[in-house]
Amino acid sequence: MSDIIQLLPDHVANQIAAGEVVQRPASVVKELLENAIDANATEIKLIIKDAGKTLVQVIDNGKGMSVTDARLSFERHATSKIKAAEDLFQLNTKGFRGEALASIAAIAHVELKSKQDQDDLGTAIVIEGSDVKSQEVSVTPTGTSVAVKHLFFNIPARRNFLKSDTVELRHITDEFHRVALAHPNIAFAFYHNGSDLFNVPQENYRQRVVHIFGSKTNEKLVPVEEETEVLKISGFVGKPNFSKKTKSEQFFFVNQRFVKSPYLNHAIKSAFEGLLKEGYHPSYFLNLTVDPKSIDINIHPTKTEIKFDDEHTLYAILRSAVKHSLGQFNIAPVLDFEHQSSLNTPYDYKDKKASTPAIEVDRSFNPFADETRVKQKATSQNTRFKSAPTASWDGLYAGLESNENDLQSDFSQVTFESEAKDASIFNDSAIETTKTTFQLQQKYIVSTLKSGMLVVDQNRAHQRVLYENFLKHITIKEATSQQLLFPLQLHFTPNETKIIDDLKADLEHTGFVFSELTEKEITITGVPVGVPESEVSIILEQLISDVENDVPDTNFSAADLLAKSMAKSLAIKNGQSLNSTEQEHMVNSLFACKEPNVSPTNRPTFITMAVDDIEKKFM
């Protein structure tokens, strides 16, 4: 039998590695930005076309590469960051695996231009699918420029799995936020299809947060500062009244590297315990500085996961630091143990000794004496009232210029007020009231059928009813709106405002009326009929979250996504009590829909149980 194990060619190995390193255009953005930071750049430009599908280019003014380094950088496991295995526990750079450029070059067209400061000319390299097409001398400024074109050109299946431009641009923006927030000492510029999305100069951390998330963010921030032998914490947390239903403003940076840590996130949530509404998440922008020897970053190629030597200590320090900041700035309620001056002993009495109070007893006190007098007084008043002569009718109407006979005839028709009696055609006993539905656990509506029993999930059923109703209004563009007495002003981040602006036309077809929509503020003067004013911000936050996290590719229109999101926000929640009329209306409305069997998210809305199935339970 012949040997069957063989070494894979480099270009095949690079394509396999690219599956882990490069998942979407945002992965390319992350790797190129981190390389620019490792090159000690002070200005970095990110240029995107068609959400990264056509072009991802990063230009920096770093130290650049020599001719040999420029060519070697595209080889697998070629890196300048580490030289020995021991260096993995003393990392001060973003990258160290040496896989990024090799993986990117295996699945895209890459053009690299680089020059060091001491050189007169630089190097230009063109690579297509790991195949070096050219390498020549080039006139280029100091630093490095990497242009990645036609991503996944040789892997059509991976390219087809990419989402819409809106979703992919959102992921790129998230990566840009993570890198820009971690390095406020570097100036960043972000361009998409020729438009300037972000342009942030070198600044302090608070200014960087405000520049990225909008000017209104400044009033939301509470500073957090703590330094111990184990951990140094700096950054900001958001005030509880500005919490959001999404986790879009939660950033942990460990040694200037963005990481995801559910354990540390729980420490923040526990610090906010009792201050947040149910379903809301706190905002935080925290920098953690620890000893590089106490962490392990080499877990996943994306390097967003991290392991700590002593997570419990970090948890306790982080939780107490956040609680201390919330209390220090009067965000969290605290007990006031300060001495009150009103409780002080007067100066004149400070030298006087306390005397024993004297006890005096009134032996003549009779608790029943007053009651006896009251009874006697009431009896005498009743006697006088009964013996008083009754006034005549003539005295009551003295001075009126009318005939006594007319008065008598008028008052003979006066009827005095008495208890109202409801007239009924039928006797109550003749009416047979039958309750056809009832509510189970304030979650399900149970009704009877000829063949058995019907159980309806009230939340999913209401979602289906609202979804078809909103979709109808958006499609025919004839929705009614109720005007607000006072305009409603809402504040979102520039990215969130951009999402609402893209969906503005569809939102107006559902009944929303916008008087102003800018990057800093959204003013709403009308809302759909039946939507309470207090729910507007929740609906828009849910809509933004769905656009960011859902998968609205080419098969789903913006109108469909909007209808689903609004239906999910406004649907009756489980745990809400419904009377019999509302229960019957819910069931009837559900079966009047075109697709009553499933909710907008394709989950069943009801189940049926036949009589035969019920009888089998008793066998």
Side-chain angles (χ1 to χ4, degrees), residues 251-262:
F251 295 89
F252 270 126
F253 302 100
V254 177
N255 294 352
Q256 294 187 317
R257 183 192 303 274
F258 173 80
V259 298
K260 296 178 181 178
S261 176

Side-chain angles (χ1 to χ4, degrees), residues 346-526:
Y347 183 77
D348 296 338
Y349 290 83
K350 69 183 185 68
D351 295 328
K352 292 185 177 181
K353 295 182 179 180
S355 58
T356 305
I359 300 176
E360 298 180 359
V361 179
D362 185 5
R363 300 188 180 278
S364 63
F365 174 73
N366 183 2
F368 302 102
D370 293 339
E371 184 179 351
T372 306
R373 278 193 233 101
V374 170
K375 287 183 178 180
Q376 292 175 354
K377 185 176 181 181
T379 304
S380 62
Q381 286 178 349
N382 293 338
T383 305
R384 289 197 300 272
F385 177 77
K386 290 179 181 178
S387 61
T390 305
S392 64
W393 283 94
D394 295 339
L396 295 174
Y397 297 96
L400 293 178
E401 297 179 358
S402 60
N403 192 3
E404 184 178 354
N405 294 330
D406 294 338
L407 289 171
Q408 291 178 354
S409 64
D410 290 341
F411 279 95
S412 64
Q413 298 177 0
V414 174
T415 57
F416 293 96
E417 193 174 357
S418 60
E419 285 189 17
K421 294 184 179 180
D422 295 332
S424 178
I425 299 176
F426 305 101
N427 294 328
D428 293 340
S429 59
I431 301 176
E432 183 178 352
T433 59
T434 305
K435 188 175 181 180
T436 59
T437 63
F438 70 92
Q439 197 175 18
L440 178 65
Q441 298 290 325
Q442 293 185 343
K443 182 177 181 180
Y444 303 104
I445 300 174
V446 182
S447 182
T448 57
L449 297 171
K450 290 183 179 179
S451 59
M453 184 173 63
L454 172 73
V455 182
V456 178
D457 187 308
Q458 64 183 31
N459 177 259
R460 296 181 187 176
H462 199 204
Q463 282 191 40
R464 166 53 64 176
V465 174
L466 292 177
Y467 167 71
E468 294 197 2
N469 188 28
F470 285 130
L471 201 59
K472 177 182 176 183
H473 288 324
I474 296 173
T475 304
I476 65 177
K477 301 179 181 179
E478 294 180 0
T480 55
S481 176
Q482 57 184 7
Q483 298 298 307
L484 299 177
L485 184 60
F486 300 102
L488 185 62
Q489 294 182 340
L490 303 174
H491 301 282
F492 293 98
T493 64
N495 289 330
E496 294 171 343
T497 306
K498 178 69 168 53
I499 293 174
I500 296 176
D501 190 24
D502 294 339
L503 298 173
K504 180 182 176 182
D506 292 327
L507 284 168
E508 289 175 340
H509 295 155
T510 63
F512 283 97
V513 179
F514 298 90
S515 65
E516 185 180 5
L517 204 159
T518 63
E519 287 189 0
K520 297 182 178 179
E521 191 173 74
I522 297 175
T523 304
I524 299 175
T525 57

Side-chain angles (χ1 to χ4, degrees), residues 96-353:
F96 55 88
R97 300 172 66 95
E99 291 182 328
L101 286 179
S103 299
I104 294 171
I107 54 174
H109 295 180
V110 180
E111 294 181 7
L112 179 142
K113 294 181 179 180
S114 184
K115 184 182 84 72
Q116 293 181 329
D117 190 33
Q118 68 272 16
D119 297 335
D120 295 330
L121 296 174
T123 305
I125 299 177
V126 178
I127 298 180
E128 296 180 3
S130 297
D131 186 14
V132 180
K133 296 296 182 181
S134 66
Q135 179 174 355
E136 55 189 15
V137 177
S138 174
V139 177
T140 182
T142 301
T144 304
S145 171
V146 182
V148 179
K149 303 177 181 178
H150 311 300
L151 192 65
F152 299 123
F153 79 99
N154 53 354
I155 311 179
R158 290 292 300 272
R159 189 174 181 87
N160 293 334
F161 275 108
L162 294 179
K163 307 304 179 184
S164 64
D165 286 358
T166 304
V167 176
E168 295 299 338
L169 180 61
R170 179 59 194 171
H171 285 285
I172 292 174
T173 306
D174 287 342
E175 293 294 345
F176 178 81
H177 286 173
R178 294 166 182 174
V179 176
L181 285 173
H183 300 274
N185 58 325
I186 301 176
F188 288 91
F190 182 10
Y191 304 93
H192 179 247
N193 290 342
S195 61
D196 186 353
L197 297 185
F198 290 95
N199 199 334
V200 291
Q202 296 179 357
E203 54 199 346
N204 61 41
Y205 193 53
R206 190 184 193 105
Q207 291 171 332
R208 177 59 55 90
V209 174
V210 172
H211 266 141
I212 291 179
F213 292 98
S215 57
K216 290 292 180 180
T217 311
N218 191 34
E219 63 186 77
K220 307 176 186 178
L221 301 179
V222 178
V224 179
E225 294 287 341
E226 188 68 44
E227 185 170 0
T228 65
E229 296 179 356
V230 180
L231 172 69
K232 179 183 178 182
I233 305 172
S234 64
F236 304 93
V237 294
K239 296 179 180 178
N241 52 324
F242 293 105
S243 59
K244 310 184 75 172
K245 293 182 75 79
T246 64
K247 298 181 179 180
S248 59
E249 294 184 0
Q250 294 186 345
F251 295 89
F252 270 126
F253 302 100
V254 177
N255 294 352
Q256 294 187 317
R257 183 192 303 274
F258 173 80
V259 298
K260 296 178 181 178
S261 176
Y263 187 70
L264 296 183
N265 178 68
H266 188 272
I268 303 294
K269 290 194 70 174
S270 63
F272 277 85
E273 187 177 2
L275 301 176
L276 297 177
K277 298 178 183 177
E278 186 177 357
Y280 282 76
H281 304 280
S283 301
Y284 53 82
F285 313 89
L286 295 175
N287 295 297
L288 310 182
T289 304
V290 298
D291 185 358
K293 297 180 181 178
S294 65
I295 58 176
D296 183 9
I297 307 169
N298 191 23
I299 299 174
H300 193 272
T302 58
K303 298 185 284 290
T304 56
E305 298 178 19
I306 194 169
K307 284 187 177 180
F308 299 94
D309 282 352
D310 190 358
E311 282 188 330
H312 299 288
T313 302
L314 299 183
Y315 182 99
I317 296 174
L318 185 60
R319 180 177 179 273
S320 60
V322 174
K323 285 186 72 72
H324 175 71
S325 293
L326 293 175
Q328 183 180 11
F329 291 93
N330 296 325
I331 305 301
V334 295
L335 293 176
D336 186 9
F337 292 105
E338 291 185 0
H339 189 66
Q340 296 184 13
S341 59
S342 60
L343 300 179
N344 291 339
T345 304
Y347 183 77
D348 296 338
Y349 290 83
K350 69 183 185 68
D351 295 328
K352 292 185 177 181
K353 295 182 179 180

